[in-house]
Amino acid sequence: MLSTFAHAVVPALGRFDVTTDVATGIAPGSIIAPNHTSLVDPGLVLAAVRRLGAEPVFLAAAGLWRIPVLGHVLAREGHVPVRRGTDAAAGALDAAAEALAGGRVVILYPEGRLPRRPDSGEAEPGPFRTGLARLALATSAPVVPVGQAGARRVTSGSRAKQITGLLTAPLRRPALHVHVGAPVHLAGDVAAATAHARAAVTGAWRKAVGRLGPHAAAVSREG
């Protein structure tokens, strides 16, 4: 349901485009690792992954499960709540490993949070948490790096600015691009695997931001 909703709504927010280095689609049992810049970029990623024929589950902040209707949908579709700062946080990786073993595609945001910036420009992915590397090393699942760009032109900055941006996006039609990179297999210790994953996601992001035009690329270098 969430993928179908994203597939229908995201093209209404702007000029949505997807490119990929994977000619055969996303293999079952893969971990998708996108960069995170805006409250709406999960919608972009879901729409892109659905376009490639996959129906993923994702790891997300447990607070979303407390939202009426949305929480029911998240639970029904098998998405995984992450209870950060609690003893139950590690259980999210166990649930993700079970989903991978069952052939599901799992989306995990390795940055773990949004950038604290008021502007709508692009900047390369921030530091990664270790969860992605630990999950990939424990399961030997391939990691598909995903770069998205343009979501901050829909929502970014203060709450008021985000609401205004979301309401005006269908009129402004900002460029929204997702690039799906070739899968990588992480190895070594957690630190080395995390660095490898961040480099791969940054590479996918650079391809995505390059599709937004020279102004966006200039902002990314300055950021």
Side-chain angles (χ1 to χ4, degrees):
M1 179 177 176
L2 289 180
S3 294
T4 301
F5 180 77
H7 179 73
V9 171
V10 167
L13 297 176
R15 293 171 284 120
F16 181 56
D17 190 29
V18 180
T19 53
T20 178
D21 293 332
V22 186
T24 58
I26 298 171
S30 297
I31 305 170
I32 295 176
N35 65 309
H36 198 18
T37 63
S38 167
L39 290 174
V40 302
D41 69 56
L44 271 65
V45 173
L46 279 172
V49 171
R50 187 180 188 277
R51 186 176 290 188
L52 296 177
E55 295 289 347
V57 298
F58 61 82
L59 279 72
L64 294 176
W65 273 252
R66 295 194 293 270
I67 299 174
V69 181
L70 176 60
H72 174 71
V73 172
L74 292 171
R76 185 186 67 194
E77 297 188 359
H79 300 291
V80 180
V82 181
R83 296 175 174 85
R84 295 192 183 100
T86 71
D87 293 338
L93 292 184
D94 293 335
E98 290 181 11
L100 292 168
R104 299 297 301 271
V105 172
V106 171
I107 297 176
L108 187 158
Y109 279 87
E111 292 166 275
R113 66 178 185 180
L114 292 168
R116 298 175 180 174
R117 296 166 41 221
D119 63 281
S120 60
E122 300 291 333
E124 70 177 37
F128 277 18
R129 298 175 185 267
T130 61
L132 171 62
R134 289 186 285 126
L135 179 61
L137 292 173
T139 62
S140 298
V143 174
V144 180
V146 171
Q148 61 77 27
R152 291 187 66 81
R153 297 182 180 186
V154 179
T155 59
S156 60
S158 67
R159 184 182 298 270
K161 183 181 176 184
Q162 291 191 47
I163 293 172
T164 299
L166 186 62
L167 293 176
T168 61
L171 297 175
R172 295 184 287 111
R173 305 292 296 165
L176 308 171
H177 192 83
V178 175
H179 182 79
V180 179
V184 296
H185 293 271
L186 304 185
D189 59 20
V190 170
T194 299
H196 185 183
R198 183 167 183 254
V201 174
T202 300
W205 167 79
R206 292 192 183 282
K207 290 186 178 181
V209 80
R211 298 292 293 257
L212 300 187
H215 174 68
V219 173
S220 72
R221 287 194 296 271
E222 292 169 5

